[in-house]
Amino acid sequence: MLSSTFEQSSILLYTGLRPELGLQEAPESLLAKRWDRSGRPAGRSAEDAACRGALSRCCCSSNMAASLGASQALHETLGLPSQEQPECRAVSCWEDFVYGEEDFVLCGVGWWRSRSEGPASRTMSRFDRALQSGWEERMKLGLFRYHLGELQTRILPGNLRFVAQLNIQRGLERRKPQDIQSVRQKFDPQQFHFSKIKPGEILFHMVRDPTPHPPSRGCSRFQGGPLESKLPGTPDCILVVINVSPLEFGHVLFIPDPALCLPQILTQELLRFGLESVLLSAHPGFRIGFNSLGAFASVNHLHLHGFYLDWELLIETAPGEPLCPTLNFHFLGGVPAPGFLFYSEGEGLGALAHSVCRVTDYLVDKEIAHNVFVTRGTAPGEPSHSETRSGIRVLIWPRRSCFGSKGEAAFNVALCELAGHLPIKTAEDFQSLTETAAIHIIQRYLLPEPQLSQLRGQLVTLLTE
């Protein structure tokens, strides 16, 4: 669903010339698209055509104007230099992706029985089409640090089914991580932050539709109505931006208004967008994740990761031990990295995000680094061999803090690795890595068992107060 006028459905950013891309104006392919409910780009209007050249005046939607005003006020509050408006020589536009609960794919999502039945034959949702087409377009335009083709993949022999992928370029060319010394470190405007991203890196605004719509999936187990009413101060939209150093196909970042200058501490508002994006995708391997400071977050500016992985992970079906059944809160053992699990079949996502962030806020207060991973999965009590993914699992791993260098082993231990997905930096390590060696690397970053056991009791008390 898109707004009826161009200014409502598009955001205009100011950008200078891009000689390194050979562009003298915003490329045609990055101009605002309109996505109707069928997921097809709709025809462009005369107003859209006006965006295709270098404009003689600056155009800006009311949302962006408010954002710029808030950004200027924040700079004054922080005592930072005033932001100057760049010369308006060209305009880059992108679409709003507006969605409601009727867009959630609640039934029929599962893994194929064989690789031949894989993603090429899978029906994509409107969200998948918007994200993938925009991401591939940016790859063709050279907006990434390197070209990402199909990655070499090995399933390590053993019961844990680690998915190892060779990604040499990411290890070599990703941005140098920032100097992080605390899980609660404040935002530093002198470091890299997402206000510095190039306009062409933005795929779309992800916008919740405030208009109630009846569920349309014919899934009798789901009794949800319209999206839950938002709280005062809750953002209506976030940016979906390419990760210029991708670890897998479709790797994007979910970013709230960059002008807010929020540190990398998870908020329930951002997490709820992440939960909803997993349900908006028809692919069982679309994942969302969060690295806290001290848990291999590279940038201290609030963001989530999102990406596609065409391989099943053990954590999707591993059984959980109930800790707080009324909140669907479990302990997940029998996996490479034991952790805590919330489960939902699509209802009450605002309440779920609130519960998850009660846990992560507690960990921040205790200076405990942590990773969060959201994936389609089975209910904790379902048989582990089930092919369907009836709901979403939210995994939380408290772990040892890691500050400083990120180049110590065959792989870093962050959200992907704790989930069983191992992006490997060198061909030698990719060929030689074993399940035993992978477990050894991961266990170096886990909390000692007595501390984890104590934390279990503390979190149950926290959630039942």
Side-chain angles (χ1 to χ4, degrees):
M1 173 178 172
L2 288 172
S3 306
S4 59
T5 68
F6 178 72
E7 287 196 349
Q8 290 173 323
S9 65
S10 303
I11 299 295
L12 309 184
L13 269 193
Y14 317 132
T15 176
L17 303 182
R18 299 292 307 280
E20 72 275 18
L21 295 180
L23 302 178
Q24 296 304 307
E25 58 185 58
E28 165 75 16
S29 57
L30 296 188
L31 298 177
K33 296 186 181 70
R34 296 168 179 261
W35 292 87
D36 63 24
R37 281 294 183 189
S38 69
R40 296 184 297 270
R44 286 188 174 136
S45 64
E47 291 94 337
D48 292 88
C51 182
R52 289 200 286 270
L55 301 186
S56 60
R57 62 185 181 88
C58 290
C59 304
C60 187
S61 73
S62 59
N63 285 344
M64 182 56 73
S67 177
L68 290 173
S71 176
Q72 183 64 37
L74 182 61
H75 273 66
E76 293 173 0
T77 301
L78 295 176
L80 301 176
S82 176
Q83 290 182 306
E84 296 182 3
Q85 297 300 324
E87 182 181 354
C88 186
R89 291 180 290 181
V91 178
S92 177
C93 316
W94 63 92
E95 69 266 27
D96 282 357
F97 182 87
V98 185
Y99 67 95
E101 207 164 68
E102 72 278 9
D103 292 299
F104 292 168
V105 185
L106 297 170
C107 297
V109 178
W111 288 104
W112 41 88
R113 291 187 177 88
S114 69
R115 298 300 295 177
S116 63
E117 301 175 26
S121 61
R122 183 174 295 279
T123 300
M124 291 195 295
S125 68
R126 191 170 63 95
F127 174 82
D128 293 321
R129 283 190 287 270
L131 191 156
Q132 293 184 25
S133 64
W135 196 90
E136 290 175 327
E137 205 162 36
R138 271 68 172 181
M139 182 63 71
K140 291 176 182 176
L141 287 169
L143 295 181
F144 292 81
R145 287 175 177 252
Y146 49 86
H147 178 80
L148 186 77
E150 186 172 350
L151 296 172
Q152 278 188 263
T153 302
R154 287 179 62 217
I155 306 301
L156 301 189
N159 296 328
L160 299 179
R161 305 197 302 273
F162 282 113
V163 179
Q165 292 188 311
L166 180 60
N167 192 338
I168 297 174
Q169 292 299 103
R170 179 170 166 83
L172 294 175
E173 299 190 31
R174 64 180 301 187
R175 183 178 288 108
K176 182 181 178 181
Q178 295 175 6
D179 181 27
I180 303 297
Q181 298 298 328
S182 168
V183 176
R184 293 181 286 183
Q185 190 160 310
K186 294 182 179 179
F187 175 84
D188 182 356
Q190 302 306 314
Q191 297 287 336
F192 172 81
H193 51 82
F194 296 121
S195 298
K196 299 180 179 181
I197 59 176
K198 299 171 183 175
E201 296 170 12
I202 300 170
L203 297 183
F204 50 78
H205 266 106
M206 191 170 169
V207 185
R208 289 196 194 96
D209 182 4
T211 307
H213 294 277
S216 60
R217 296 301 179 198
C219 194
S220 59
R221 64 170 173 79
F222 182 71
Q223 301 299 322
L227 287 171
E228 300 158 76
S229 300
K230 76 183 191 76
L231 299 172
T234 300
D236 293 310
C237 66
I238 58 169
L239 294 176
V240 179
V241 178
I242 63 171
N243 188 321
V244 295
S245 301
L247 61 83
E248 245 293 6
F249 174 74
H251 191 176
V252 295
L253 302 176
F254 294 82
I255 305 171
D257 184 357
L260 297 175
C261 300
L262 298 173
Q264 183 68 348
I265 296 175
L266 189 60
T267 66
Q268 64 185 73
E269 294 83 12
L270 179 60
L271 177 59
R272 183 171 158 190
F273 277 105
L275 298 173
E276 290 168 352
S277 71
V278 171
L279 291 179
L280 287 169
S281 174
H283 195 302
F286 183 72
R287 333 280 186 164
I288 292 292
F290 172 84
N291 297 320
S292 82
L293 302 179
F296 286 101
S298 296
V299 177
N300 186 15
H301 197 181
L302 183 58
H303 63 285
L304 296 175
H305 292 267
F307 61 96
Y308 293 90
L309 178 67
D310 290 334
W311 298 89
E312 186 177 0
L313 299 173
L314 180 61
I315 60 163
E316 299 172 26
T317 56
E321 173 191 345
L323 296 179
C324 192
T326 57
L327 294 176
N328 246 323
F329 183 57
H330 304 258
F331 182 77
L332 194 68
V335 291
F340 299 99
L341 164 68
F342 285 94
Y343 177 78
S344 169
E345 296 198 341
E347 71 284 354
L349 297 183
L352 174 59
H354 174 73
S355 295
V356 171
C357 287
R358 289 191 70 190
V359 172
T360 57
D361 286 348
Y362 183 86
L363 298 176
V364 170
D365 289 341
K366 299 296 182 183
E367 274 286 341
I368 299 174
H370 50 279
N371 305 92
V372 179
F373 193 80
V374 184
T375 183
R376 295 268 186 175
T378 61
E382 281 187 19
S384 60
H385 56 76
S386 174
E387 292 177 355
T388 61
R389 298 294 177 261
S390 53
I392 52 176
R393 290 184 166 207
V394 183
L395 283 297
I396 307 170
W397 290 286
R399 41 86 58 78
R400 296 179 190 266
S401 296
C402 179
F403 301 119
S405 173
K406 286 193 171 189
E408 301 172 355
F411 55 86
N412 298 322
V413 179
L415 65 94
C416 292
E417 294 77 8
L418 293 172
H421 171 211
L422 312 178
I424 308 298
K425 306 172 190 175
T426 70
E428 181 181 359
D429 287 329
F430 177 74
Q431 294 296 337
S432 63
L433 187 66
T434 64
E435 180 180 271
T436 300
I439 293 172
H440 177 71
I441 294 171
I442 289 172
Q443 287 182 340
R444 286 161 44 191
Y445 295 90
L446 302 182
L447 291 181
E449 199 284 328
Q451 185 180 1
L452 185 62
S453 179
Q454 182 183 38
L455 188 58
R456 283 177 58 166
Q458 292 168 340
L459 293 179
V460 170
T461 299
L462 173 76
L463 294 171
T464 54
E465 286 178 344

